[in-house]
Amino acid sequence: MDKLIIDKDLTEPTLKWVLNKKNRDNYLNPVGENEKSHNFSKHEEDFINELGLDYTSIEIIGQIILSHYDLDLETPTNPYFNNRISWHSKGSEEKPNRSDNLKGKIAVRFNVMLQKPKIGGLPTEENEVGLEVRGVQKYGFTPVGGVKNMVLLSIEYHVDEDVAKLKGWMHVDCKPIESSPVWNKDNSYNEDKYYPYITDIPKIDKAKIEVLNKEEEMERINSLIIELYEDGTPPVRVNHIRKILGYAPRE
């Protein structure tokens, strides 16, 4: 299949937004020291537009991807991932990992390279779409290096198992097995024979739970509370902080 390159007119608004440091600092969530990201779904369309992003252009990109790969245009996104914009600075890397499947639904992620780093990251070119069958195989990327940071728009769908097999994205004999301490997305197993799936209510992966530094967490909460009640805090930022703190957003 030919490479899929998304028109710059569609990708540039999101790239410009992410490259704005104020946007990154205020609205993207830190992941370690070298990455910031935000996941969002169709239900957050109004909020995404309020931030200054163009949700419509992101939605159109998703439709172009589904059409290019001859997938149903109503294919649902993976509810445990949906859409994500991410910024990766020098040193950022992702260790190989899988995504959550449902029984009969395989997690397939499409990464649009909004800005390519000089070193490392994903192998695709700028505005090119990379495909990852993350529900079956493990994927990651090598450490980002150089002056340019990596910026991605990622959309993850739950593709019907039969469709994934028909397209050669997984072995035809691969069967579902319910996630357990032995059969889960982080374990090694024969990918030609099995894929783990979770129920509609995901189980807590205790192996992934990290002990939070309570002092740092309280310091962050106090800082957000101060910003929330400061004069001059923009309404969109106020609602974003209220959401983080678990308050209902203001109308």
Side-chain angles (χ1 to χ4, degrees):
M1 179 175 285
D2 293 337
K3 288 183 179 181
L4 174 57
I5 307 295
I6 303 298
D7 193 290
K8 187 177 179 180
D9 289 342
L10 288 172
T11 61
E12 194 167 38
T14 302
L15 174 61
K16 284 184 175 180
W17 188 94
V18 176
L19 292 180
N20 184 311
K21 186 176 184 300
K22 183 177 179 181
N23 290 335
R24 293 199 307 272
D25 290 346
N26 287 337
Y27 304 114
L28 297 188
N29 304 308
V31 183
E33 297 181 357
N34 308 307
E35 177 185 345
K36 292 185 177 183
S37 66
H38 181 70
N39 289 64
F40 56 94
S41 68
K42 171 70 175 175
H43 302 298
E44 297 175 85
E45 179 177 355
D46 290 343
F47 176 68
I48 293 300
N49 286 329
E50 286 178 1
L51 294 183
L53 284 160
D54 182 4
Y55 185 87
T56 299
S57 67
I58 295 172
E59 191 170 46
I60 291 172
I61 290 171
Q63 292 291 290
I64 290 172
I65 291 171
L66 292 174
S67 177
H68 179 83
Y69 287 94
D70 195 24
L71 295 170
D72 190 328
L73 296 182
E74 299 299 321
T75 301
T77 55
N78 179 351
Y80 309 115
F81 185 92
N82 292 298
N83 311 287
R84 183 176 71 186
I85 50 176
S86 57
W87 173 85
H88 307 264
S89 62
K90 185 176 180 180
S92 174
E93 68 176 313
E94 182 181 21
K95 300 297 184 183
N97 66 92
R98 297 185 183 90
S99 293
D100 288 320
N101 303 303
L102 297 178
K103 189 174 184 180
K105 301 287 184 178
I106 307 301
V108 179
R109 185 180 304 180
F110 298 94
N111 297 305
V112 185
M113 181 68 74
L114 302 183
Q115 179 171 280
K116 184 177 178 63
K118 291 292 184 182
I119 302 170
L122 293 171
T124 47
E125 299 302 318
E126 287 191 351
N127 295 319
E128 183 182 351
V129 178
L131 181 154
E132 298 175 339
V133 189
R134 277 189 173 249
V136 179
Q137 301 167 354
K138 291 184 178 182
Y139 290 86
F141 57 81
T142 56
V144 170
V147 177
K148 272 181 127 179
N149 300 317
M150 181 170 73
V151 181
L152 296 174
L153 167 65
S154 303
I155 307 175
E156 188 167 292
Y157 295 97
H158 266 163
V159 175
D160 286 345
E161 179 183 331
D162 291 343
V163 173
K165 288 179 176 178
L166 186 64
K167 292 185 175 298
W169 293 348
M170 60 188 297
H171 197 281
V172 293
D173 295 328
C174 191
K175 297 178 180 179
I177 187 163
E178 188 172 0
S179 182
S180 71
V182 176
W183 300 100
N184 64 62
K185 63 181 182 180
D186 295 316
N187 283 39
S188 296
Y189 54 87
N190 190 330
E191 297 168 350
D192 289 344
K193 291 185 177 181
Y194 304 104
Y195 72 86
Y197 71 90
I198 60 173
T199 57
D200 288 339
I201 302 176
K203 298 176 181 178
I204 297 175
D205 186 354
K206 294 181 179 179
K208 288 292 184 181
I209 296 177
E210 297 180 357
V211 178
L212 297 175
N213 186 315
K214 291 185 178 181
E215 291 184 2
E216 288 184 0
E217 187 66 13
M218 286 305 300
E219 185 177 340
R220 177 171 179 264
I221 290 173
N222 289 335
S223 176
L224 287 171
I225 291 173
I226 291 171
E227 185 181 357
L228 177 65
Y229 293 106
E230 278 183 340
D231 293 336
T233 302
V236 173
R237 176 62 176 163
V238 168
N239 278 340
H240 186 63
I241 293 172
R242 292 178 68 86
K243 183 177 178 182
I244 293 173
L245 297 176
Y247 302 156
R250 290 177 178 172
E251 298 294 334

